[in-house]
Amino acid sequence: MLPVKEKKMIKDRPAALEKRDDYRKLPTKSFSLSWNCVPELVNASLMPLGGIQPITGKMAELAGGAMYDDPSGAEVEYFRSIDARFQPILLVMSLASISGPEDAIQAVPYAISAIPMSKRSIVTTVDVASVKAHRGGAAFAEADWCYSGFDPFVGEWSVFSTAETILDLKGGRGYVDELGVVIGMYYLRTEYDRDDVSEVDRFLPDDKSRKRFLRNRIKTIYQPFKRVEARRIWGAQTPIELFLYQELLFRDLRPQLQQLVFPDGRTYPSLYDSYSDVETRHELQLLTEIDIFFPEERLAVFCDGRHHGKGKQAERDAKIDAKLAELGIASIRVSGKSIIEDLTVAADEIGHKLEELRGQTSAARSVG
């Protein structure tokens, strides 16, 4: 087969990455996903997403308290009686790198998105009979589906097919970060009582966090789609973060993406951009959100766009860095320009800082 010719989706890739022999190398057969690179809280939030969503008290009552992806007979009759409609939604994982021996290839993710199924650029809607026929999505999940030419930052893609077909057509060449692997599916109700939503949120620390989680869960996961688009759930926020993350992965480093920092020094995975608005940041006294974080060394890496380094933003950044230092968190700020033009130098700076911090930790242990 001839390789698929697609337009390049993610732009301005650093020359340092393009020069790597394995940067544009794709596997020619199946591979596994490195879920340990996805924060536990994000994993926990994704686990309930299957079958009909959101789960409501009414659904739990009809199912006798035992909820499954395949809707019960009572649920089917209820949804049929109210002529309920559903949008099939796919959960899609974007991949930063693929490595390992041929018999144990593993992919490291950098983003997770939600995408509605569609036909002729119109969001698909189905009735409960279709949901039941596909066992709440279980039948669909038996095949490995994949997007090719997928850019999660703008929500566009070129091809949707099985992973095997796409990898065959690619012929082992292409950008791995433009593959979007389907990792789950759920059926989103187009109308439901928001006050009756029953959410799995015991993994969150307090009622305030649970309230915020549900509010943003509804906005990101449970808000019916009016158009075909990709909604970001977790991961790198910009291409420059992705590029720096990829370079660090090539150096066998495994930092965490998108970590929140609170005034008492606690760090917490960013979930569904639920802390991005000013109201929430003020309410929870959030200090900042770290783009790339090394938890053991307590090193925060910020990938700064053009608005950083100037005027009031520069002053705010300096205050954040000072506060982080008080909390025992070192920080490095890398400009987007340097990531594009001098990626090797930027990654070297991070590597040197990690060595310095590890040396300080070793010295402190020796003294202790």
Side-chain angles (χ1 to χ4, degrees), residues 208-277:
K208 185 179 292 185
S209 295
R210 295 184 187 105
K211 181 179 178 181
R212 174 60 56 179
F213 173 73
L214 177 57
R215 183 166 134 188
N216 284 273
R217 181 88 153 177
I218 288 175
K219 181 178 71 174
T220 307
I221 301 294
Y222 302 144
Q223 182 70 33
F225 285 77
K226 294 182 180 179
R227 59 190 178 88
V228 181
E229 61 179 344
R231 288 184 189 161
R232 300 296 307 285
I233 292 176
W234 163 84
Q237 298 293 329
T238 63
I240 60 172
E241 293 173 27
L242 166 62
F243 300 147
L244 182 56
Y245 184 55
Q246 288 175 316
E247 177 64 22
L248 296 173
L249 292 176
F250 276 123
R251 299 182 181 210
D252 292 325
L253 298 172
R254 293 292 184 272
Q256 298 175 351
L257 295 171
Q258 303 304 318
Q259 289 284 313
L260 306 170
V261 185
F262 291 88
D264 60 2
R266 286 180 301 125
T267 61
Y268 197 72
S270 182
L271 204 56
Y272 305 144
D273 252 356
S274 57
Y275 301 88
S276 60
D277 58 279

Side-chain angles (χ1 to χ4, degrees), residues 150-165:
F150 177 51
D151 181 348
F153 303 111
V154 299
E156 296 180 358
W157 57 88
S158 301
V159 180
F160 177 69
S161 185
T162 63
E164 181 180 5
T165 298

Side-chain angles (χ1 to χ4, degrees), residues 50 85 94 123 143 148 170 193 232 273 282 291 306-307 322:
R85 303 292 294 177
S94 296
V123 176
S148 178
K170 285 284 190 178
D193 182 359
R232 300 296 307 285
D273 252 356
H282 178 74
D291 297 323
R306 294 178 180 178
H307 65 289

Side-chain angles (χ1 to χ4, degrees), residues 256-330:
Q256 298 175 351
L257 295 171
Q258 303 304 318
Q259 289 284 313
L260 306 170
V261 185
F262 291 88
D264 60 2
R266 286 180 301 125
T267 61
Y268 197 72
S270 182
L271 204 56
Y272 305 144
D273 252 356
S274 57
Y275 301 88
S276 60
D277 58 279
V278 175
E279 175 189 349
T280 302
R281 288 175 178 267
H282 178 74
E283 177 186 353
L284 298 180
Q285 297 182 320
L286 180 66
L287 176 60
T288 190
E289 183 171 4
I290 301 170
D291 297 323
I292 297 175
F293 184 55
F294 293 87
E296 291 187 10
E297 295 84 1
R298 301 280 282 177
L299 175 62
V301 179
F302 296 94
C303 303
D304 290 343
R306 294 178 180 178
H307 65 289
H308 289 268
K310 299 178 181 179
K312 292 184 178 181
Q313 184 61 53
E315 295 177 8
R316 285 193 289 266
D317 290 344
K319 289 180 180 178
I320 289 173
D321 291 343
K323 180 61 178 177
L324 288 174
E326 292 176 9
L327 298 172
I329 300 176

Side-chain angles (χ1 to χ4, degrees), residues 54-57 192-199 214 217-218 222:
I55 295 173
T56 61
Y192 59 90
D193 182 359
R194 295 193 175 195
D195 293 330
D196 194 33
V197 172
S198 179
E199 192 55 69
L214 177 57
R217 181 88 153 177
I218 288 175
Y222 302 144

Side-chain angles (χ1 to χ4, degrees), residues 68 92 145 232 307:
Y68 300 94
V92 181
W145 295 96
R232 300 296 307 285
H307 65 289

